[in-house]
């Protein structure tokens, strides 16, 4: 196999980073449109339908509006951290996509160069958990640097919420790691690829309790209903980002929707078989090179889309928790349940 030079490697790596970042940012924009459309249908209204056919250009107009709005910086803020906070929040949401295999890793070019994954890291799951956990600093710094009591209170309880539910989320993934015997995302996906849906950790791996815990913790981690306490406007005048405006304000919401997509990617890889077909070997492998390359991407995107649809469905259905109910649910129910799932999975694997 022909080896690539360092310049070719840098060129293709940079191209992958640019393409994936652009696609992710477009995904963030159109996830907002998806949510507005679906919530509109749930509430028996149309949602955005004026800008472009079926309202498809609405995200572009909203983005342009965010750029063009007046950028107001209050005089009392601690300026360095005030400006750094939205950058930290958005960067952590975007960087973690770098280790996600969104297509078949066996489709390689010269020098074993992977087309459908930016970086193949042997501890990819730990990298994702580590990067996303840093995002809490963006929220904490935003509230503190704003020099506003409402923002500070909002950032404190948001930070407490994120730290609390990170524990349950991390513990819910231990059973999956034990079944696969690896933290490598490729290995975890391939361990679910033998018999389609029957091999997925959600069904064949008996990790439906872990999936439920992950789902609940993901709602809280991404500030989504029914756990959207960080933005409880009736209590905190919008919470930690009260003093932000223009594009800096939009960056916090871009981070939120980017984290939603990231959570969907992790759920797809760990519980839903990743890029593999839900029909397993019932569908023959296509001989066409283009189909072989892009069919796994289609399955991956479809599963992530289904997860995002569930996100929006829950938002349009359930009311918001009180803060004491939120913390009680995380510490007294999800944490013990996650530990019991680890013990049960260990006993089952030892028995087998």
């Amino acid at each position: 196999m022909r080896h690539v030079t360092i310049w070719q490697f840098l060129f293709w790596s940079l191209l992958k980073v640019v393409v994936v970042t652009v696609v992710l940012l477009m995904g963030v924009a159109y996830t907002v449109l998806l949510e507005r459309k679906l919530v509109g249908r749930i509430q028996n209204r149309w949602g955005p339908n004026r800008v472009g056919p079926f309202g498809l250009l609405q995200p572009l107009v909203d983005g342009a509006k965010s750029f063009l709005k007046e950028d107001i910086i209050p005089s009392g803020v601690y300026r360095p951290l005030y400006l750094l906070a939205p950058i930290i929040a958005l960067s952590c949401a975007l960087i973690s996509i770098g280790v996600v295999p969104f297509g078949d890793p066996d489709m390689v070019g010269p020098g074993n160069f992977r087309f459908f994954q930016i970086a193949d890291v042997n501890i990819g799951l730990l990298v994702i958990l580590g990067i996303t956990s840093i995002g809490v600093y963006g929220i904490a710094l935003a509230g503190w640097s704003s020099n506003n009591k409402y923002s500070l209170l909002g950032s404190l309880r948001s930070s407490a919420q994120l730290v609390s539910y990170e524990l349950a989320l991390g513990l819910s993934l231990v059973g999956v790691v034990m079944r696969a015997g690896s933290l490598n995302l490729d290995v975890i996906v391939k361990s679910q690829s033998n018999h389609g849906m029957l091999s997925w950790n959600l069904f064949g791996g008996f990790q439906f309790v872990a999936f439920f815990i992950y789902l609940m913790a993901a709602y809280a981690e991404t500030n989504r209903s029914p756990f959207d306490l960080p933005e409880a406007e009736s209590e905190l005048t919008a919470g930690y980002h009260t003093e932000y405006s223009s594009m800096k304000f939009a960056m916090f919401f871009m981070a939120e929707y980017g984290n939603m997509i990231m959570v969907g990617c992790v759920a797809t890889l760990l519980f839903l078989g990743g890029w593999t077909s839900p029909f397993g070997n019932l569908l023959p492998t296509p001989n066409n090179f283009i189909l072989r390359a892009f069919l796994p991407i289609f399955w991956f995107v479809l599963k992530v889309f289904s997860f995002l649809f569930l996100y929006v469905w829950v938002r349009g259905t359930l009311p918001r928790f009180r803060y004491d109910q939120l913390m009680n649910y995380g510490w007294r129910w999800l944490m013990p349940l996650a530990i019991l799932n680890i013990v049960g999975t260990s006993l089952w694997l030892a028995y087998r």
Side-chain angles (χ1 to χ4, degrees):
M1 182 176 290
R2 182 172 63 87
H3 292 284
V4 294
T5 65
I6 184 65
W7 298 110
Q8 290 173 322
F9 176 81
L10 289 175
F11 170 76
W12 287 109
S13 298
L14 182 61
L15 183 63
K16 277 197 296 186
V17 170
V18 170
V19 170
V20 171
T21 303
V22 170
V23 171
L24 180 59
L25 290 174
M26 291 296 291
V28 166
Y30 279 93
T31 301
V32 178
L33 180 65
L34 171 71
E35 179 173 26
R36 294 177 67 184
K37 283 282 193 182
L38 289 178
V39 172
R41 290 291 182 172
I42 291 171
Q43 297 172 347
N44 198 26
R45 55 186 176 82
W46 283 105
N49 64 345
R50 297 292 183 183
V51 185
F54 307 106
L56 290 176
L57 299 181
Q58 186 68 47
L60 304 180
V61 175
D62 290 341
K65 182 182 73 173
S66 298
F67 272 109
L68 298 175
K69 289 187 75 171
E70 182 180 3
D71 186 16
I72 300 172
I73 300 179
S75 58
V77 304
Y78 183 65
R79 198 179 181 94
L81 294 181
Y82 176 85
L83 297 176
L84 184 62
I87 297 174
I88 292 175
L90 182 58
S91 299
C92 292
L94 297 179
I95 291 173
S96 50
I97 198 70
V99 298
V100 171
F102 45 87
D104 190 349
D106 294 331
M107 300 292 293
V108 296
N112 286 328
F113 186 83
R114 298 192 173 207
F115 291 114
F116 303 123
Q117 186 179 13
I118 293 177
D120 179 23
V121 182
N122 203 35
I123 52 170
L125 182 57
L126 281 184
V127 171
I128 291 175
L129 294 176
I131 292 173
T132 51
S133 65
I134 298 174
V136 70
Y137 286 103
I139 291 174
L141 293 175
W144 179 84
S145 63
S146 294
N147 196 23
N148 178 318
K149 299 299 186 292
Y150 290 108
S151 298
L152 180 59
L153 288 172
S155 67
L156 285 175
R157 79 176 191 177
S158 301
S159 302
Q161 172 179 326
L162 295 182
V163 171
S164 299
Y165 277 82
E166 269 178 12
L167 297 173
L169 186 143
L171 289 174
S172 70
L173 306 179
V174 174
V176 172
V177 173
M178 292 169 63
R179 286 198 74 245
S182 174
L183 290 165
N184 189 301
L185 296 172
D186 290 342
V187 174
I188 293 174
V189 172
K190 288 179 179 177
S191 68
Q192 308 172 68
S193 62
N194 293 331
H195 306 290
M197 295 175 65
L198 298 178
S199 297
W200 293 359
N201 284 321
L202 177 58
F203 302 119
F206 302 106
Q207 293 297 309
F208 35 82
V209 174
F211 181 75
F212 172 77
I213 298 168
Y214 177 84
L215 189 63
M216 296 298 103
Y219 287 145
E221 283 289 293
T222 52
N223 307 332
R224 300 290 299 179
S225 182
F227 305 129
D228 56 339
L229 273 299
E231 292 142 25
E233 292 90 347
S234 58
E235 305 168 36
L236 296 168
T237 60
Y240 59 89
H241 48 53
T242 299
E243 300 295 344
Y244 283 87
S245 60
S246 187
M247 199 59 203
K248 293 194 294 296
F249 179 79
M251 287 171 72
F252 283 111
F253 283 94
M254 291 170 65
E256 179 180 313
Y257 284 90
N259 283 324
M260 282 173 57
I261 294 174
M262 194 63 230
V263 162
C265 291
V266 174
T268 298
L269 293 170
L270 269 60
F271 295 101
L272 305 177
W275 64 83
T276 60
S277 167
F279 306 107
N281 297 324
L282 294 177
L283 291 179
T285 304
N287 294 323
N288 186 291
F289 176 80
I290 296 177
L291 277 179
R292 255 188 308 132
F294 288 100
L295 198 58
I297 297 178
F298 168 77
W299 292 122
F300 185 84
V301 172
L302 181 64
K303 293 170 185 176
V304 174
F305 174 84
S306 302
F307 196 84
L308 294 176
F309 180 86
L310 181 61
Y311 250 110
V312 179
W313 189 3
V314 169
R315 179 191 171 176
T317 307
L318 298 180
R320 178 186 291 146
F321 278 41
R322 291 198 318 265
Y323 193 73
D324 62 308
Q325 293 174 327
L326 170 83
M327 299 303 283
N328 180 69
Y329 185 59
W331 285 105
R332 296 184 63 184
W333 292 98
L334 291 188
M335 280 282 291
L337 195 59
I339 295 171
L340 285 175
N341 180 72
I342 295 173
V343 173
T345 304
S346 304
L347 293 175
W348 172 249
L349 292 175
Y351 172 76
R352 289 185 62 188

